[in-house]
């Protein structure tokens, strides 16, 4: 039986969020029934965000239809944004889009996971297909895993360490802990090109918001990631007293 190729096996890894990058993928807020009276304010804020981003990198913007594209083109005129007609539910591509990877040569790839509407809390049409659509548009080498994972549920330092929360990844509404905790370890290592262990943000005292790693989690990784030789606790996998020197 042929062994599945993975990012780790092919030398790819997920860069840190604060690493320089050339493009940002976003989705134009356009669903009036979803945003209601907040649609216009949301579009104004989104436009300001895009204009700021466009000063240093290119914009790849999803629009669900022709009407939305015309509105987005008018609002983002002069930013150089490229528009892609892709249906979506929520604009939060941090969770629904694929993760972008790099290798030592600077070559890019994408890795995709299953998405189930944040554990069934907010199941919107098309969101489970967004990752595949973006990966196709990007035209890069792509990897896929059947595991359920939102991009915002992990933080990496780009040097082989990942910070996450088992309340999210191993929740019964995503990946049942009793059945998946050991598989989770290997999945994250292979998919994100990790060289070290995976830390549970709750058990090592970092911030978790709505079961995702946020705020202090990213800042903590930026500090320890640059230090090398740091300690990573393996509580995420149930090995309570295990420590690993990276």
């Amino acid at each position: 039986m042929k062994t599945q190729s993975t990012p780790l096996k092919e030398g790819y890894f997920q860069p840190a969020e604060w690493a320089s990058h050339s493009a940002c993928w976003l989705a134009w807020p356009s669903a009036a029934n979803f945003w209601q009276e907040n649609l216009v304010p949301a579009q104004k804020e989104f436009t300001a965000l895009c204009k700021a981003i466009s000063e240093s990198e290119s914009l790849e913007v999803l629009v669900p239809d022709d009407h939305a594209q015309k509105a987005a083109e008018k609002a983002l005129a002069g930013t150089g944004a490229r528009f892609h007609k892709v249906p979506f539910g929520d604009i939060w591509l941090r969770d629904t889009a694929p993760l972008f990877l790099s290798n030592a040569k600077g070559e890019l790839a994408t890795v995709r996971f299953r998405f189930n509407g944040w554990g069934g809390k907010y199941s919107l049409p098309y969101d489970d297909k967004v990752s595949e659509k973006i990966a196709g548009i990007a035209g890069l080498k792509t990897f896929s895993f059947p595991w359920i994972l939102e991009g915002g549920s992990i933080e990496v330092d780009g040097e082989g360490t990942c910070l996450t929360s088992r309340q999210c990844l191993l929740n019964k509404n995503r990946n049942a802990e009793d059945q998946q905790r050991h598989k989770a370890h290997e999945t994250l290592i292979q998919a994100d090109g990790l060289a070290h262990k995976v830390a549970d943000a709750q058990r090592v005292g970092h911030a978790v918001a709505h079961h995702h790693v946020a705020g202090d989690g990213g800042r903590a990784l930026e500090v320890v990631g640059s230090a090398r030789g740091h300690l990573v606790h393996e509580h995420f996998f149930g090995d309570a007293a295990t420590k690993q020197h990276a």
Side-chain angles (χ1 to χ4, degrees):
M1 184 175 68
K2 186 178 180 180
T3 303
Q4 179 186 2
S5 180
T6 68
L8 181 65
K9 291 176 182 177
E10 296 200 22
Y12 288 96
F13 63 94
Q14 184 182 354
E17 185 173 327
W18 53 86
S20 61
H21 50 283
S22 60
C24 184
W25 287 80
L26 308 102
W28 173 253
S30 55
N33 61 331
F34 182 77
W35 291 93
Q36 300 182 22
E37 71 276 6
N38 294 313
L39 179 58
V40 172
Q43 290 176 338
K44 289 182 178 179
E45 292 293 332
F46 183 90
T47 299
L49 171 67
C50 286
K51 289 182 176 180
I53 293 174
S54 69
E55 293 178 3
S56 58
E57 57 194 81
S58 61
L59 301 172
E60 306 288 348
V61 182
L62 303 190
V63 290
D65 52 40
D66 290 335
H67 178 73
Q69 180 165 341
K70 289 180 180 178
E73 287 176 340
K74 181 178 180 180
L76 301 180
T79 63
R82 296 199 307 172
F83 300 94
H84 310 280
K85 203 175 297 181
V86 174
F88 59 86
D90 200 290
I91 69 170
W92 199 242
L93 298 190
R94 178 182 175 87
D95 285 344
T96 60
L99 301 178
F100 283 81
L101 312 173
S102 182
N103 64 16
K105 297 179 180 179
E107 298 168 334
L108 303 180
T110 60
V111 60
R112 297 177 285 113
F113 299 86
R114 290 169 55 208
F115 178 78
N116 72 341
W118 295 278
K121 287 181 65 178
Y122 306 106
S123 295
L124 299 174
Y126 311 115
D127 279 345
D128 60 341
K129 301 297 182 183
V130 167
S131 184
E132 182 180 359
K133 294 289 187 181
I134 291 178
I137 294 169
L140 303 170
K141 184 178 184 64
T142 188
F143 303 87
S144 65
F145 289 80
W147 215 49
I148 296 172
L149 180 144
E150 297 109 38
S153 66
I154 61 175
E155 286 280 0
V156 299
D157 65 355
E159 298 182 14
T161 303
C162 174
L163 181 65
T164 188
S165 165
R166 62 179 171 179
Q167 271 199 11
C168 176
L169 296 190
L170 300 185
N171 194 295
K172 63 183 179 180
N173 62 12
R174 291 179 178 84
N175 306 289
E177 180 168 5
D178 290 342
Q179 301 174 4
Q180 301 286 346
R181 69 181 186 180
H182 298 297
K183 185 178 180 180
H185 185 186
E186 186 61 22
T187 297
L188 287 175
I189 285 177
Q190 291 295 329
D192 285 336
L194 304 177
H196 313 313
K197 300 298 183 181
V198 182
D200 181 355
Q202 290 172 284
R203 298 299 295 271
V204 298
H206 299 309
V208 177
H210 302 293
H211 309 303
H212 277 194
V213 179
D216 291 341
R219 286 192 290 275
L221 272 182
E222 188 169 6
V223 172
V224 300
S226 61
R228 306 294 290 178
H230 54 277
L231 280 176
V232 177
H233 298 256
E234 264 194 304
H235 292 305
F236 179 84
F237 302 105
D239 302 319
T242 305
K243 295 181 180 180
Q244 173 71 33
H245 285 279

